Amino acid sequence: MIIPKSREEIELIRESALIVSKTLGMLAPEIKPGVTTLELDKLAEEFIRDHGAEPGFLGLYDFPNSLCMSPNAQVVHGIPNNEPLKEGDIISIDCGAKKNGFYGDHAYTFEVGEVAPEVKQLLKITKESLYKGIKEFKAGNRVGDVGYAIQKYTEKHNYGVVRELVGHGLGKTMHEDPEMPNYGKRGRGKKFIEGMVVAIEPMINMGTKRIKQLPDGWTILTADNKPSAHFEHNVALVDGKPELLSTFKYIYNALGIKTKEEDQFRAKVYD
């Protein structure tokens, strides 16, 4: 059952989402060769708690850490460890925070030093597909419209769209209805309603769409060990249109990136 949110509840979710956004922005300059994902995880946990929130992932379904850290061929749910990142790696960082009873949850795939051009292209197309999907999150549309837009754009570049892992509704629990697949057919699935909040999160592989799981019970890998990219935003349906509750602006400020990609989906500007 979809649980629509009041304007006040949407603002509380925005507050949690922005703690996640600021956490990712804080981490951005720290992501470099030689650093371990466990070091980054500790920085994130401290930062989230310093901002009056709880790490949203720590202990959720018994997950052992505050961040899901998934390098290279890992798609999602990687567990932080003591292995240093290397030049040319990519790393998906998925982060959650809970404040005032509501969750924020989003992800960004970072480059570690200089990455190969074909990997850089995978990240570019995956992030662009996220906004293609967000555009379809509007009054009158359905879940399949978002999935179709993401699938069409990424498969046009011969990438694999993961089927088993999906986006989701967001609120007082981390995962609410509806599920938000990154594939689908136009006009199919649950209808979007005013006040709903979702996490849209393309998980796109350079090669096959097929995945496998490590024995740790968490880490998801591409079946062919080719790289995977993951980007995620939190979005509310306000006045029939998509409104971003999360932002990558803090990441971009830290890395010196100039872009207006979010502006059409934002009612507020974040410095």
Side-chain angles (χ1 to χ4, degrees):
M1 184 180 70
I2 295 173
I3 305 170
K5 311 300 187 294
S6 68
R7 294 294 176 95
E8 292 78 13
E9 288 173 323
I10 287 171
E11 289 309 310
L12 291 175
I13 297 172
R14 190 197 306 274
E15 189 175 348
S16 295
L18 288 177
I19 290 171
V20 176
S21 300
K22 290 173 182 177
T23 303
L24 294 174
M26 177 275 296
L27 291 173
E30 306 296 328
I31 298 164
K32 48 198 167 191
V35 73
T36 71
T37 51
L38 201 53
E39 289 169 338
L40 296 172
D41 183 73
K42 288 174 181 173
L43 285 175
E45 179 177 353
E46 185 176 323
F47 187 89
I48 291 167
R49 294 193 189 281
D50 284 349
H51 283 74
E54 303 168 28
F57 295 167
L58 184 61
L60 186 71
Y61 313 124
D62 295 324
F63 188 74
N65 293 88
S66 297
L67 299 175
C68 293
M69 307 282 279
S70 310
N72 302 320
Q74 293 185 18
V75 182
V76 287
H77 302 163
I79 298 173
N81 57 43
N82 283 311
E83 189 173 333
L85 294 174
K86 302 186 300 296
E87 181 81 17
D89 284 348
I90 56 171
I91 176 88
S92 162
I93 302 184
D94 196 352
C95 178
K98 185 181 184 182
K99 188 175 182 180
N100 298 317
F102 287 91
Y103 283 94
D105 162 33
H106 46 285
Y108 192 91
T109 302
F110 294 88
E111 300 176 19
V112 183
E114 277 299 313
V115 307
E118 62 270 21
V119 177
K120 196 180 283 278
Q121 177 73 354
L122 171 68
L123 269 56
K124 176 178 180 287
I125 297 303
T126 302
K127 182 149 67 72
E128 288 174 355
S129 79
L130 170 60
Y131 296 108
K132 298 282 186 188
I134 291 170
K135 265 186 186 172
E136 299 302 318
F137 181 61
K138 58 189 178 183
N141 274 8
R142 295 178 180 270
V143 165
D145 294 299
V146 171
Y148 175 83
I150 293 168
Q151 180 183 12
K152 182 182 178 187
Y153 190 70
T154 52
E155 287 185 348
K156 184 173 70 175
H157 293 84
N158 297 314
Y159 294 145
V161 180
V162 174
R163 299 300 202 269
E164 296 87 345
L165 303 156
V166 298
H168 50 90
L170 187 70
K172 288 185 175 179
T173 56
M174 178 70 76
H175 299 110
E176 295 185 357
D177 277 342
E179 290 191 342
M180 297 289 295
N182 297 304
Y183 64 95
K185 294 184 177 179
R186 283 177 172 158
R188 299 283 181 87
K190 292 186 177 179
K191 194 171 187 177
F192 299 138
I193 58 175
E194 182 72 13
M196 67 187 292
V197 177
V198 297
I200 298 175
E201 50 179 317
M203 290 159 271
I204 307 300
N205 302 340
M206 183 176 283
T208 180
K209 65 186 177 187
R210 292 184 298 108
I211 57 173
K212 56 190 177 183
Q213 188 172 43
L214 288 184
D216 63 21
W218 281 103
T219 308
I220 302 294
L221 290 162
T222 59
D224 56 8
N225 291 314
K226 290 183 178 180
S228 182
H230 176 212
F231 291 88
E232 178 181 13
H233 266 313
N234 302 149
V235 197
L237 192 61
V238 178
D239 295 329
K241 296 178 294 187
E243 181 176 320
L244 281 183
L245 305 182
S246 53
T247 180
F248 295 151
K249 289 287 185 181
Y250 299 110
I251 296 171
Y252 297 152
N253 288 346
L255 300 180
I257 296 171
K258 303 287 187 187
T259 175
K260 295 185 176 182
E261 66 189 16
E262 298 179 5
D263 289 2
Q264 63 183 306
F265 305 115
R266 288 221 319 268
K268 297 182 179 180
V269 175
Y270 304 106
D271 298 324

